[in-house]
């Protein structure tokens, strides 16, 4: 069986151009060494069998467990070892970089198509796990919001968690975004990256890296990161960098999480952006109110019809957007409006920042500036402009860049909880008596009253729709200015200070 698996995997690598025919024998021998074999058994008719990368790797891992080649049989150790298997099929970084830039000469999109496919074929992006994510679209007053329940990150088993605590803490790589991850074997408390390749790019005359997220929440979900391990900071140069990337890859949008806790939503210790080839609901959202800022009459400016507080700037000259974006950022950093419960700082702690998103729309550059504030109170200890407690049964985590734009990344627990909830509702059970479902009881009662037509053949779609509407409320809570008349007037008070 293992000989068959090796032959299948080598053929897979050839079919997907990870290796060339001249590499067949060499690659076969590296896999023989990995599995502590001296030769292949007689050839089977393996090519006639349907090939599944997931199933083949599983069989190879089972063999490694049975023959004590793997340390332990757990999700963490299997992920470490199957990455090691796939590393035997990988071209050197220099080869991939050369191919990428050769294809870039044809077009930026040709280059990213090649690199995205390679990132999937190498199993760095595990297609078979991504496919397990639950996804749907909810129609709201703000447009069609994307809702996902993330199942692609495997949960660690108790043994692995215990083992991770015993592992000596290492400062290498410093974080998951550092260039030193490329080719790294990993350990029980750090994922393996031997099948990971980084494309070096230049952003604002600095060395940066370009890669895809292994958990691709949307099409071609990429990460652009500083070559140095340096903290995130939203400043004028942030806009310069964003547009520098967009000019190099005009078919991609790119944005940055904010640079403060709570509203940051990601790794704040390493300067990075996220982008991709995807049209989010926020990008499609229309302008509610237009305005003109003195000295920037050439820039189209307006407030976006969106649950969060978004200023959109449009101009063919991106340098004008950089200058105006910095002007707005500076004004917002120091802005206080007690009536609207917006404070620039309390006790020396800054609260105001921005989540910026850049894109090119035809010949026009666009810059969306999402106003953020991370102040907390006794009533809202996780943040005033954060999902409030009544929504935590669906979403409690921070609202980062991806969700700001209209894509919910909901916890894996919801899949099982919603299945149980649907069954309990149909059986007319008392949800408050169930330890797991009690947190959903009040919300479920509202849903039941709202949908008297609910029955077995439509309950799933109704629950999904209502979860999507909760996400819309999550974004409303995260907005510093509410969508009512009082909120709109307060928003315009800030605009008038510019």
């Amino acid at each position: 069986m293992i000989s068959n698996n090796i032959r299948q995997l080598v053929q897979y690598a050839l079919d997907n151009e990870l290796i060339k025919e001249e590499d067949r024998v060499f690659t076969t021998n590296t896999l023989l060494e990995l599995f502590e074999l001296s030769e292949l058994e007689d050839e089977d008719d393996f090519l006639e069998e349907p090939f599944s990368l997931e199933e083949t790797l599983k069989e190879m891992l089972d063999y490694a467990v049975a023959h004590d080649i793997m340390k332990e049989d757990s999700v963490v150790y299997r992920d470490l070892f199957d990455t090691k298997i796939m590393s035997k099929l990988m071209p050197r970084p220099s080869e991939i970089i050369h191919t990428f830039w050769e294809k870039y000469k044809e077009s930026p999109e040709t280059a990213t198509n090649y690199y995205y496919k390679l990132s999937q074929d190498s199993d760095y992006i595990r297609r078979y796990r991504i496919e397990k994510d639950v996804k749907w679209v909810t129609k709201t007053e703000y447009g069609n919001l994307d809702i996902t329940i993330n199942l692609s990150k495997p949960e660690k088993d108790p043994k692995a968690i215990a083992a991770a605590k015993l592992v000596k803490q290492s400062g290498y790589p410093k974080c998951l975004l550092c260039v030193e991850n490329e080719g790294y074997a990993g350990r029980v408390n750090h994922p393996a990256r031997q099948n990971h390749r980084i494309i070096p790019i230049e952003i604002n005359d600095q060395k940066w890296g370009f890669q895809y997220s292994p958990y691709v929440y949307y099409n071609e979900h990429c990460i652009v990161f500083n070559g140095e391990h340096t903290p995130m900071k939203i400043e004028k140069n942030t806009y310069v960098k964003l547009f520098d990337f967009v000019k190099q890859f005009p078919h991609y949008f790119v944005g940055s999480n904010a640079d403060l806790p709570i509203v940051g939503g990601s790794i704040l210790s390493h300067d990075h952006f996220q982008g991709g080839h995807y049209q989010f609901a926020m990008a499609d959202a229309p302008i509610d109110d237009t305005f003109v800022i003195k000295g920037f009459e050439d820039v189209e400016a307006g407030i976006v019809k969106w649950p969060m507080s978004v200023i959109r700037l449009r101009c063919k000259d991106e340098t004008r957007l950089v200058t105006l974006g910095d002007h707005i950022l500076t004004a917002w950093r120091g802005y206080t409006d007690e009536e609207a419960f917006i404070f620039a700082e309390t006790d020396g702690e800054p609260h105001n920042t921005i989540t910026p998103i850049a894109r090119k729309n035809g010949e026009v550059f666009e810059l969306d500036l999402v106003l953020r504030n991370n102040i907390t109170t006794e009533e809202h200890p996780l943040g005033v402009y954060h999902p409030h407690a009544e929504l935590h049964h669906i979403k409690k985590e921070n609202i980062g860049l991806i969700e700001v734009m209209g894509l919910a990344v909901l916890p894996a627990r919801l899949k099982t909880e919603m299945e149980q909830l649907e069954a309990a509702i149909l059986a007319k059970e008392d949800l408050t008596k169930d330890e797991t479902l009690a947190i959903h009881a009040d919300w479920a009662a509202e849903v039941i009253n709202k949908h008297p037509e609910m029955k077995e053949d439509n309950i799933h779609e109704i629950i999904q729709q209502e979860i999507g509407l909760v996400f819309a409320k999550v974004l409303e809570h995260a907005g510093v200015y509410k969508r009512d008349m009082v909120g709109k007037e307060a928003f315009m008070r800030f605009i008038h200070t510019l």
Side-chain angles (χ1 to χ4, degrees):
M1 177 64 79
I2 187 63
S3 293
N4 213 29
N5 294 144
I6 290 173
R7 289 191 179 98
Q8 286 181 313
L9 199 59
V10 171
Q11 188 60 47
Y12 166 84
L14 283 162
D15 292 344
N16 289 282
E17 300 181 342
L18 294 173
I19 62 174
K20 298 176 181 176
E21 183 58 44
E22 296 90 334
D23 302 317
R24 183 192 289 271
V25 172
F26 176 84
T27 305
T28 300
N29 286 335
T30 60
L31 288 168
L32 284 173
E33 179 186 10
L34 179 61
F35 286 94
E36 301 176 5
L37 299 169
S38 58
E39 61 182 348
L40 290 174
E41 295 174 1
D42 291 341
E43 187 167 357
D44 301 319
D45 295 329
F46 71 94
L47 290 178
E48 296 178 7
E49 301 174 9
F51 177 80
S52 162
L53 180 60
E54 180 182 18
E55 187 58 34
T56 297
L57 288 175
K58 180 185 179 300
E59 290 174 0
M60 296 175 93
L61 291 170
D62 289 343
Y63 178 92
V65 170
H67 292 79
D68 295 323
I69 298 170
M70 265 174 57
K71 286 183 180 179
E72 266 187 49
D73 187 11
S74 72
V75 172
V76 171
Y77 284 102
R78 281 178 171 258
D79 280 3
L80 290 171
F81 198 82
D82 71 4
T83 304
K84 192 173 185 178
I85 294 171
M86 293 304 296
S87 74
K88 306 303 180 185
L89 314 179
M90 293 299 294
R92 287 184 175 273
S94 56
E95 296 175 58
I96 291 171
I97 293 165
H98 175 77
T99 303
F100 180 89
W101 289 113
E102 281 298 306
K103 290 183 179 295
Y104 186 89
K105 291 176 184 176
E106 185 177 332
S107 76
E109 197 161 352
T110 301
T112 54
N113 285 345
Y114 153 75
Y115 181 44
Y116 189 56
K117 182 178 184 299
L118 179 134
S119 298
Q120 296 175 92
D121 292 339
S122 66
D123 211 36
Y124 169 71
I125 296 173
R126 300 172 189 260
R127 286 188 181 104
Y128 44 87
R129 285 190 183 165
I130 305 300
E131 288 170 358
K132 293 174 184 175
D133 287 348
V134 181
K135 299 180 180 180
W136 70 92
V137 173
T138 295
K139 186 177 181 180
T140 75
E141 63 179 293
Y142 307 110
N144 292 330
L145 301 183
D146 293 308
I147 313 298
T148 67
I149 297 178
N150 177 34
L151 303 174
S152 54
K153 283 186 181 180
E155 294 191 22
K156 293 183 179 180
D157 55 89
K159 278 187 178 180
I161 294 171
K165 290 179 181 178
L166 298 176
V167 173
K168 181 182 177 183
Q169 291 300 309
S170 171
Y172 185 89
K174 290 180 180 176
C175 78
L176 291 170
L177 294 177
C178 287
V179 294
E180 289 80 10
N181 282 281
E182 187 177 41
Y184 187 61
R187 50 186 189 268
V188 71
N189 60 354
H190 192 102
R193 291 289 184 256
Q194 290 123 306
N195 58 349
H196 175 40
R197 298 294 182 264
I198 297 168
I199 303 298
I201 61 175
E202 193 171 280
I203 300 288
N204 194 28
D205 300 322
Q206 291 180 315
K207 291 181 179 179
W208 279 55
F210 169 60
Q211 67 180 57
Y212 290 105
S213 164
Y215 305 113
V216 287
Y217 293 129
Y218 50 87
N219 186 49
E220 296 176 49
H221 177 187
C222 70
I223 300 173
V224 189
F225 58 97
N226 198 314
E228 300 292 330
H229 184 74
T230 185
M232 288 184 66
K233 186 178 181 182
I234 304 299
E235 57 186 355
K236 183 177 182 179
N237 266 344
T238 302
Y239 306 135
V240 175
K241 295 169 188 172
L242 291 175
F243 283 117
D244 203 352
F245 179 81
V246 168
K247 284 187 290 183
Q248 293 180 64
F249 300 95
H251 59 300
Y252 277 9
F253 81 90
V254 67
S256 175
N257 270 296
D259 54 357
L260 293 178
I262 297 177
V263 297
S266 70
I267 302 171
L268 298 180
S269 62
H270 197 127
D271 192 17
H272 71 285
F273 307 139
Q274 294 182 79
H277 200 183
Y278 193 73
Q279 187 80 353
F280 285 88
M282 192 178 85
D284 287 329
I287 298 297
D288 248 356
D289 298 292
T290 60
F291 54 87
V292 176
I293 298 176
K294 187 177 180 181
F296 295 93
E297 289 80 5
D298 56 326
V299 177
E300 296 177 40
I303 295 173
V304 180
K305 183 185 178 183
W306 193 245
M308 296 186 70
S309 306
V310 186
I311 296 171
R312 178 166 297 158
L313 308 176
R314 303 181 79 246
C315 188
K316 287 187 176 181
D317 181 358
E318 84 283 357
T319 64
R320 296 291 287 157
L321 301 185
V322 169
T323 304
L324 179 52
D326 181 52
H327 174 64
I328 294 172
L329 173 63
T330 301
W332 179 246
R333 290 277 195 198
Y335 185 73
T336 291
D337 182 346
E338 294 187 15
E339 185 181 342
F341 203 77
I342 293 171
F343 297 87
E345 58 86 24
T346 55
D347 299 324
E349 179 188 351
H351 296 304
N352 289 345
T353 186
I354 280 176
T355 297
I357 300 106
R359 69 182 77 86
K360 195 173 185 188
N361 196 341
E363 295 301 310
V364 178
F365 289 98
E366 293 183 349
L367 180 63
D368 284 353
L369 303 175
V370 188
L371 307 183
R372 311 298 302 272
N373 181 289
N374 74 348
I375 196 167
T376 60
T377 62
E378 287 187 12
E379 183 184 0
H380 301 295
L382 298 183
V384 173
Y385 306 107
H386 177 89
H388 293 174
E390 66 268 24
L391 306 182
H392 288 178
H393 67 106
I394 298 294
K395 178 69 176 176
K396 184 178 181 180
E397 298 76 15
N398 294 347
I399 304 304
L401 172 69
I402 294 170
E403 290 168 318
V404 163
M405 295 184 291
L407 190 157
V409 182
L410 302 179
R413 64 174 172 82
L414 278 181
K415 183 178 185 295
T416 302
E417 289 177 13
M418 290 305 114
E419 290 170 353
Q420 294 173 350
L421 182 66
E422 290 170 20
I425 290 174
L426 291 172
K428 301 186 184 304
E429 295 176 6
D430 183 351
L431 302 181
T432 62
K433 303 296 184 185
D434 186 295
E435 187 176 343
T436 300
L437 300 182
I439 61 170
H440 300 293
D442 291 344
W443 172 70
E446 294 177 8
V447 173
I448 292 167
N449 289 333
K450 182 179 176 182
H451 295 278
E453 78 284 8
M454 188 160 56
K455 51 189 178 181
E456 187 173 0
D457 65 353
N458 66 7
I459 187 171
H460 185 64
E461 289 72 22
I462 289 172
I463 291 296
Q464 284 192 336
Q465 170 70 12
E466 292 299 326
I467 289 174
L469 295 178
V470 168
F471 178 62
K473 288 182 181 178
V474 162
L475 296 184
E476 289 174 347
H477 286 188
V480 293
Y481 294 114
K482 305 313 171 190
R483 297 283 305 165
D484 56 20
M485 188 58 66
V486 173
K488 289 182 178 181
E489 289 176 356
F491 202 159
M492 288 310 298
R493 283 202 296 273
F494 169 66
I495 298 298
H496 291 149
T497 67
L498 299 174

